Amino acid sequence: MATFLYKIGRFAFRRRHFVALIWVALLTLAGVGAASAPTAGSSSFSIPGTEAQKAFDLLESRYPGMSADGATARVVFRAPSGEKMSAAANKAAVKKTVKALGDGSEVTSVTDPFKTHSLSKDGAIAYTQVRYDVSGMELEDASKDALNEAAKEARDTGLTVEVGGDALQAAPETGSTEVIGIAVAAVVLVITFGSLIAAGLPLLTALIGVGIGVSTIAALAKALDLGSTTSTLAMMIGLAVGIDYALFIVSRYRAELAEGREREEAAGRAVGTAGSAVVFAGLTVVIALVGLAVVNIPMLTKMGVAAAGTVAIAVLIALTMIPALLGYTGRMVQPAGQKSKLLGGGRAAKKPARPNMGTRWASFVVRRPVAVLLLGVVGLGAAAVPATSLELGLPDDGSQPTSTTQRRAYDLLSDGFGPGFNGPLMVVVDAKSSNDPKAAVTKVTDTVKDLKNVVSVTPATYNKAGDTAMITVVPDSKPSSVKTEDLVHAIRDAGGEIKAGTDAEVLVTGTTAMNIDFSQKLNDALVPYLALVVGLAFLLLIVVFRSVLVPLKAALGFLLSVMAALGAVVAVFQWGWLAGLMGVEETGPIMSMMPIFMVGVVFGLAMDYEVFLVTRMREAYVHGEKPAQAIVTGFKHGARVVTAAAVIMIAVFSGFIGSSESMIKMIGFGLAIAVFFDAFVVRMAIVPAVLALLGKRAWWLPKWLDRALPNVDVEGEGLRAHDTDRPKDGDADEDRKLARV
């Protein structure tokens, strides 16, 4: 592989005009496609194989035209202090609002609270429910404006009016902190390379790669049913890995120049060696993201595949566009150890060169491996303690900031009708096979009424054929509580007995039941997913490192970092530690998809640093150095760059903490803290400590397995046959050629 990538690097360097033109053309094509495509909405949410989804599909077929997936809005009214909603003036204001809401072109129905008896016991609170024929993200601005205007006019009469539901759903905003993250990355690159030009290359190529990936997602959003969150995730991961992959190749290029190689040869060798590590690191990320398909939740699968596509683009750009741009820069990118004059280069050294920080740190770890190992493991273990109280759920209006009308509507409904009113359960009775459908539905209603934690059960609503009924059940507990989950299971258990006696099938659905099934499906898929992703990556790393213990150590280290990261997420978003600093206005359960998503993404990113750092050690060991010295050599050449890459990735992920979308905020924080733990504790401390303790055994591989595995030559051993080095003075002739170009 090293030889193949070496040839690609030299080709891209020589044919830089052609390579640059190809990528610019792809960016333009993707941009035109995105500009002409319809705006991405919220992707359809389905959970195949669950009871809630089965009931939802049944409603779609038995109640045609009901737009079960359409947006809803609850307009909640509260009378002034001391008054009731039944007062003439208040009643007139509500009826006027109901009439105004019903005039919308996308509205399918509006309820009159005085006809549906949607009044609180004390008569102070009422609500009307508005249904639309499209989803919240697909609603036209005119419909949203009409909803807000109707609420405003009702407020002008003296009523307190708030609007809940998903009709006012808006696309997430990332905020200015995303730009700050990129700015931090730029500063780190300048410090690392000592050159503005060299620092600009990874940023430029990463932005081009993300631009192509995100624009392609936008262009295909309508056709592939991709939500707005999909592009945000792809941007987050694509930007981070794009900068890192380019950083490693540019760094290796400068190191090759420092050894006296010509620029074209240095570009080829940089892609052949560091590029090999980029390919395998990218493969681990792609495996982890595509592996999310194991969960069998379409939304999660699409997010993973889209992000994996952006990572693949980042790898291809690093292997081709970086050497092409290096061909344009000429002497503006200087050998390692040299800075540009603008940043203080060219000055005489005042002190003799001393070992760099990576060398000194690795030497310390090699001398004190047991102490470093114990300190790292205990520290991560302490950070992981909060994960033992992890509570999973999905956000609803109750998790919104109190400044939003959705949250205020949620609180008003809880005050007037009880906490369970915001998460009603929909019981669907399929009595098509029953001899007496109405008797079966009556039995279901009576059975559910007798269960614990049930406040009310509405009369059944039949379809035209009379063989299917919907029953709404209001629990006595809030949607995200354990009691509500127990009630869902109790209804389903009772449904089994009812089916045995009546042949009628009882199904529980609704938003609350869907959330419960979603969480359960994710929990059930976590172990198989972990086994698949870690297993495939383990095999891949055996091929890369020609070792059994090094990949095993990498996987165990990953488990430590991901558990510590989950503990930090629980501490901030569930317990409320540093919540104000992170902009978390409301604490609550951790999103159900967070553990499995962190396992996938963090594993892929963790393997990046493992591959980049340990391949340098492997390279030194293969070339004859003793195990302990190989560790120091690996850190001498790789620690500075890995540190810079980790800081950049942390900065990029931290930029998304400013998002208005709670899911993006949580993912941004979780990935940032996970990279911190994995890069600086696991890879920089635990890994060298373990390798120092293992010695030569770290690189042990059974002979039969060694013969069976393909030789991918990540260390670039095969490049010795292509060594066409010239004296460094030859750069002058080459620079004259570049000047003519």
Side-chain angles (χ1 to χ4, degrees), residues 609-644:
Y609 301 116
E610 180 76 14
V611 170
F612 289 130
L613 193 59
V614 180
T615 48
R616 271 293 197 170
M617 300 179 192
R618 170 74 182 173
E619 186 175 341
Y621 179 75
V622 167
H623 290 162
E625 293 189 9
K626 293 182 178 179
Q629 184 57 40
I631 295 171
V632 176
T633 300
F635 268 77
K636 174 184 177 182
H637 295 292
R640 179 182 176 88
V641 181
V642 169
T643 299

Side-chain angles (χ1 to χ4, degrees), residues 128-192:
T128 178
Q129 184 152 301
V130 188
R131 290 188 178 276
Y132 297 86
D133 57 8
V134 295
S135 66
M137 290 297 290
E138 295 172 321
L139 268 183
E140 295 180 358
D141 290 339
S143 296
K144 295 181 180 182
D145 293 341
L147 181 59
N148 286 320
E149 183 62 27
K152 180 179 180 300
E153 291 182 2
R155 291 189 190 102
D156 292 341
T157 65
L159 297 174
T160 298
V161 185
E162 305 296 347
V163 183
D166 61 352
L168 294 181
Q169 184 178 0
E173 298 176 357
T174 55
S176 59
T177 50
E178 178 187 348
V179 179
I180 295 174
I182 296 176
V184 171
V187 172
V188 173
L189 287 169
V190 171
I191 295 173
T192 303

Side-chain angles (χ1 to χ4, degrees), residues 384-426:
V385 169
T388 57
S389 63
L390 175 69
E391 295 178 10
L392 298 177
L394 286 179
D396 54 20
D397 284 348
S399 62
Q400 296 266 16
T402 53
S403 58
T404 62
T405 185
Q406 292 95 329
R407 172 58 187 275
R408 291 196 292 264
Y410 181 97
D411 292 339
L412 282 176
L413 290 171
S414 295
D415 294 341
F417 302 92
F421 192 78
N422 283 293
L425 306 176
M426 185 180 293

Side-chain angles (χ1 to χ4, degrees), residues 224-387:
L224 300 181
D225 191 26
L226 304 177
S228 56
T229 305
T230 303
S231 59
T232 306
L233 177 65
M235 181 192 303
M236 183 191 302
I237 296 176
L239 194 61
V241 300
I243 295 175
D244 278 7
Y245 294 165
L247 164 65
F248 282 104
I249 291 182
V250 173
S251 177
R252 187 60 183 253
Y253 171 77
R254 296 178 71 234
E256 296 293 338
L257 288 180
E259 292 183 8
R261 306 191 193 281
E262 295 180 358
R263 296 188 181 277
E264 182 180 325
E265 178 70 11
R269 285 179 170 271
V271 176
T273 51
S276 298
V278 165
V279 169
F280 283 101
L283 272 176
T284 58
V285 179
V286 169
I287 288 172
L289 290 170
V290 174
L292 290 171
V294 173
V295 185
N296 194 27
I297 295 178
M299 181 188 72
L300 202 57
T301 300
K302 292 171 186 176
M303 290 171 63
V305 171
T310 307
V311 172
I313 292 171
V315 172
L316 292 175
I317 282 186
L319 298 178
T320 57
M321 195 170 186
I322 283 293
L325 293 179
L326 290 172
Y328 284 115
T329 58
R331 279 174 123 22
M332 288 185 286
V333 175
Q334 300 182 0
Q338 297 183 23
K339 297 181 180 180
S340 65
K341 292 182 179 180
L342 182 63
L343 297 174
R347 299 174 185 172
K350 296 181 180 180
K351 297 180 181 180
R354 56 180 296 200
N356 62 19
M357 180 66 74
T359 302
R360 298 198 300 273
W361 169 250
S363 300
F364 170 78
V365 174
V366 168
R367 290 196 305 270
R368 301 284 187 271
V370 175
V372 172
L373 178 62
L374 288 177
L375 186 61
V377 172
V378 171
L380 291 178
V385 169

